[in-house]
Amino acid sequence: WVWYRELPLLFFVHTIVIDVWFYSTHRLLHVFKFLYAHVHKMHHRYTAPCAMAAVYAHPFEFVVSNIGGVALGPLVSSCHPYTSYFWYGYALMTTCCNHSGFKELGASTHDAHHEYFNYNFGGGGLLDSLFGTKLPASIAAKRS
């Protein structure tokens, strides 16, 4: 079994794992007022995110929510180290793209989260759709 054969399946698994982890931890940082005020508010100082804002976070949030979510997929799947390296690079790049401010790079969803704090908690949108926290189309249309 060669490591790159596992890549497509495990990328899918890692994407689901990080979406569940990041959505859950990110939403908790908003729901619990103490955590928001003392931890997550630091990241939300950027109302119009830029790529550097992706890693501008309280150390607790950075380790638990951000790094924890990226590392959890490879840990759970026990994948080959090369698959992990590829995944880490991909995750870092997409996180920066999501904070870039460029709609073409996928930033519109996370930009909306920084504008309307109670929507778009996840990275992939699946859990936001399931739990009713996706930015309503009526508000999204006004942003365009």
Side-chain angles (χ1 to χ4, degrees):
W1 186 250
V2 184
W3 73 271
Y4 55 81
R5 289 187 185 154
E6 72 180 13
L7 202 60
L9 173 63
L10 291 182
F11 251 57
F12 176 74
V13 170
H14 297 168
T15 300
I16 299 300
V17 168
I18 196 172
D19 200 32
V20 170
W21 183 264
F22 184 73
Y23 177 89
S24 302
T25 58
H26 188 198
R27 189 153 182 207
L28 287 173
L29 289 169
H30 278 263
V31 169
F32 291 103
K33 301 299 180 201
F34 178 84
L35 288 176
Y36 183 82
H38 298 286
V39 177
H40 192 54
K41 187 174 183 176
M42 181 177 180
H43 177 72
H44 273 280
R45 287 183 182 151
Y46 284 92
T47 53
C50 63
M52 289 304 294
V55 294
Y56 184 73
H58 186 281
F60 176 80
E61 176 183 3
F62 185 72
V63 170
V64 173
S65 187
N66 300 353
I67 298 297
V70 172
L72 191 58
L75 288 172
V76 168
S77 69
S78 297
C79 62
H80 191 281
Y82 288 164
T83 303
S84 296
Y85 304 152
F86 202 79
W87 168 252
Y88 297 145
Y90 173 79
L92 179 60
M93 191 151 88
T94 56
T95 300
C96 289
C97 287
N98 288 339
H99 284 83
S100 70
F102 292 103
K103 190 174 173 180
E104 300 79 17
L105 295 177
S108 58
T109 302
H110 198 72
D111 277 359
H113 171 73
H114 278 260
E115 190 174 348
Y116 306 99
F117 297 127
N118 296 318
Y119 299 104
N120 298 351
F121 294 102
L126 176 64
L127 293 177
D128 282 309
S129 295
L130 285 173
F131 292 110
T133 54
K134 185 174 183 177
L135 186 70
S138 59
I139 297 173
K142 291 177 185 176
R143 293 184 75 239
S144 299

